[in-house]
Every structure is written in structure tokens, then in C-alpha cells.
Amino acid sequence: MNPTLSELEAKATRQKAAFGGDAHIVCDNLVRIYKTEGVEVVALQGLDLLIDKGELVAIVGASGSGKSTLLNVLSGLDVPTAGVARVAGTDLLSMSARDRLRYRRSVVGFIWQQTARNLLPYVTARENVELPMKLAGLGGGAGARRERAGELLELLGVGDCANRKTPEMSGGEQQRVAIAVALANSPQLILADEPTGELDSETSEQVFDALRKANRELGVTVVIVTHDPLVSEQVDRTVGIRDGRTSSETLRRADAEGQIIAEEYAVLDRVGRLQLPRDFMNALEMERRVRLELESDHIGVWPAREEPSDD
Ligand SMILES: Nc1ncnc2c1ncn2[C@@H]1O[C@H](COP(=O)(O)OP(=O)(O)OP(=O)(O)O)[C@@H](O)[C@H]1O
Ligand SMILES: [Mg+2]
């Protein structure tokens, strides 16, 4: 017997719900279109991404590929045009203004590249960390907030900056204080958009170590957008974004001798689409179409040029 329309719909909904299962971050066919002066820019064009709770993930990609757009969506700052975006069970497309505020205050913490954007200039590091707790009405009384702020600064290696005002700290110290601010309300997820972009390599390393500490010791999921190889080579997973889609993933694991092995994969979406690396395509002059051949353990991809000659 043929299924009824409602049975088909129920099946489709079930399959949809199953994608990503209980992943901490689920982006399914995420689309973000910006309209400015009648021109449309498709910043995210059907992006799929799954991140588990407690992962430390780097996002890399060319300028304009959609990295900041993705982070803005995940932080609840921006609302996508279509698709699914879910963090810790919260649907980021359908939440009310009130839920959005609660989400931004206590589920997610954000660190900008521009150090000046992360902290208030006229107050001390400790007061900067206390502020989000005060705003959210969390963290108990003033004494408890003060204590927690001190502990977080200590954990991130900037305990000695507690009583310094923002201009009295280096860029790297400010970014580590910014991580403490982001952690103040015990978020489940920290998002950082090029947090080391304005820093030299030594200072970058300290900021990255602080993020890693938040991840390892507090169990917070951390997603870092970065151009910095120092950062992207030290995480377990690097996700590459190209033209508004996840295109590649590099997974790192230790082999038997403890050497880190990096393996690069192309991302395959649910209907079988994948992006070939641009340099591979250029090397074999592949364009428009390719010939595929199924082998017992792999699929061959050949350029579809003229028919092979006999010699
Ligand atoms: N507010 C906006 N209005 C219109 N277009 C935008 C807006 N924000 C981003 N875009 C466009 O969306 C695309 C993706 O931008 P996005 O900022 O996400 O890139 P990115 O990967 O973060 O780049 P970068 O590495 O330079 O920071 C770009 O084409 C950009 O011009
Ligand atoms: Mg950006």
C-alpha cells in the first residue's frame, strides 16, 4: 500500500530531527542572505556542521567565505535566512527576543578580534568579569561574584591583572581577560572570531592556551575562527569553509609513537555533494564536469576532456 501524504511528512520530519542527533551545535543547510541596496550576498549557502559537546574546533577559510557570518549566527547576534541552527537544544531561528537575550547572556560567550571591543576601558579586569554576572543576576552576591572573577582570571593566567584597568594591560592580557568575561556566566559554548589576529606569535600562544584551558578544565565547547596556523594546527579538528559551505575537515590524532597525524577530508553532504580542492581541479584542468568511476574501495574522478586517443 502506498504511504499517505501525512505518513510521508511524518517520515521527513523524523529524518530531519535525526540529523545531528544530540550534537551540541547543529547547522543543517544554513543559509544567510544579506540584502544591501538591492544587491544580495549569499554569505552562507547551505552550510552543514556538527560539533559535539566539549570539542575544540578551529574554523578556517579565505576572506569573505562566511566565517564571521557563521559565528554571528551561533552567538545569537544574527538570524539566518533559512535552514537549521541549534545550539545546546536551542533553536536559533525561532527563539523569542527574551530567549535570545537569555541565550546570549548565559549559554554562549563571545570574543572579538578587536581587543578594545571585548572590555570596558574605564574599569578593572575584575570589574569587567563581574559585569556579565551582575547583568544576568547570576553569581550570587557581590562577594561571590568577586571571588569567581578572581578565580577565572587566575585560571587564565592573568590573576595579576585583576586590579588593572583595560589600557594598563597588553593586548594579549586583554584577550585573556576577555575570555574570563566570556566565561563569567558559565556558558556551554565559547566563540572567538580571530582572537589572536592583532597579536604577535608568542602572545597568540598564551591566548590560545587560555582558550584550551577553558575547554579542557571547564569542559566548554570552543569554536575559534583563525588564520593562525599555530592555532589551527593544535586543535583536534579544523573545519574549512569555502563560499559559505563547509568544504574540508582536518582531523588530528596521535599515532602509536605519540606523533600527531593530520588527515584531511572533504566534507560530503547528505545528498552526496562535495567540493574538490581548487588546486586539485586546476592541476588537472577540471571544470564543469568530471567522470566518476566506482572501484571496490574508492571512487575515481577524471577530467572529462576529449575522448582518449588510441596511442
Ligand atoms: N552585514 C553585512 N551586510 C552585507 N554583506 C555582508 C555583511 N556581513 C558580511 N557580508 C558579506 O558576506 C560574505 C561573508 O562575510 P564574512 O564576514 O562572514 O566573511 P569572513 O569569512 O569572516 O571573512 P574575513 O576572513 O575577511 O573576516 C562577504 O561577501 C561579505 O561581504
Ligand atoms: Mg570575519
Side-chain angles (χ1 to χ4, degrees):
M1 199 179 77
N2 286 336
T4 64
L5 187 60
S6 60
E7 277 167 356
L8 283 174
E9 275 172 356
K11 189 168 169 230
T13 321
R14 265 203 308 279
Q15 280 175 349
K16 208 164 191 174
F19 178 73
D22 54 0
H24 200 202
I25 299 178
V26 180
C27 296
D28 182 8
N29 214 353
L30 198 60
V31 176
R32 175 64 169 107
I33 301 174
Y34 291 111
K35 287 199 186 91
T36 36
E37 293 157 16
V39 183
E40 288 191 353
V41 176
V42 190
L44 300 178
Q45 357 203 344
L47 178 140
D48 296 333
L49 179 66
L50 298 178
I51 293 178
D52 285 332
K53 195 161 172 47
E55 267 196 281
L56 172 63
V57 174
I59 308 245
V60 299
S63 180
S65 55
K67 306 180 299 291
S68 295
T69 305
L70 172 65
L71 245 57
N72 288 341
V73 167
L74 294 178
S75 70
L77 266 177
D78 189 24
V79 188
T81 312
V84 173
R86 211 165 52 231
V87 175
T90 306
D91 179 349
L92 302 186
L93 276 89
S94 68
M95 66 182 161
S96 65
R98 202 176 145 172
D99 286 345
R100 191 168 291 279
L101 189 65
R102 186 196 57 86
Y103 176 80
R104 295 194 44 207
R105 275 192 183 152
S106 54
V107 180
V108 66
F110 202 91
I111 297 137
W112 301 94
Q113 172 177 352
Q114 302 86 346
T115 50
R117 205 165 165 183
N118 290 315
L119 303 176
L120 287 175
Y122 308 111
V123 304
T124 64
R126 188 199 307 277
E127 287 161 338
N128 263 296
V129 183
E130 288 171 358
L131 190 65
M133 297 188 243
K134 226 184 264 179
L135 288 175
L138 297 169
R145 285 198 294 266
R146 199 181 150 79
E147 193 180 321
R148 174 162 172 78
E151 283 168 7
L152 282 172
L153 292 169
E154 206 62 57
L155 176 76
L156 303 176
V158 278
D160 54 335
C161 296
N163 297 319
R164 284 197 240 161
K165 291 189 178 146
T166 305
E168 297 162 5
M169 295 183 279
S170 72
E173 287 165 344
Q174 290 180 34
Q175 286 306 67
R176 283 187 279 163
V177 173
I179 298 169
V181 172
L183 288 169
N185 288 331
S186 310
Q188 302 192 35
L189 168 67
I190 291 274
L191 302 165
D193 197 348
E194 307 213 28
T196 63
E198 292 183 351
L199 309 174
D200 61 39
S201 58
E202 194 180 324
T203 319
S204 296
E205 179 115 43
Q206 292 167 349
V207 171
F208 177 61
D209 282 347
L211 284 167
R212 188 157 42 189
K213 210 153 195 192
N215 173 253
R216 298 264 156 88
E217 295 190 16
L218 305 176
V220 185
T221 307
V222 176
V223 179
I224 312 174
V225 165
T226 186
H227 280 113
D228 189 344
L230 198 115
V231 173
S232 57
E233 282 164 15
Q234 289 187 62
V235 297
D236 300 332
R237 181 151 77 109
T238 303
V239 175
I241 295 194
R242 200 169 103 197
D243 301 332
R245 284 198 177 157
T246 41
S247 67
S248 65
E249 287 202 15
T250 304
L251 304 183
R252 290 179 193 77
R253 58 181 176 81
D255 70 4
E257 277 95 58
Q259 295 274 21
I260 300 295
I261 306 177
E263 287 166 319
E264 188 167 337
Y265 296 87
V267 171
L268 185 66
D269 80 6
R270 278 186 292 161
V271 295
R273 280 179 296 224
L274 60 80
Q275 287 189 329
L276 297 174
R278 185 105 53 200
D279 46 343
F280 285 22
M281 288 165 61
N282 291 346
L284 296 177
E285 292 176 39
M286 288 178 170
E287 59 182 6
R288 255 177 33 87
R289 54 181 165 233
V290 291
R291 204 160 45 78
L292 301 178
E293 222 161 88
L294 179 65
E295 303 288 345
S296 60
D297 62 346
H298 72 279
I299 296 170
V301 183
W302 281 267
R305 268 178 293 177
E306 61 277 12
E307 292 300 306
S309 58
D310 290 338
D311 51 45

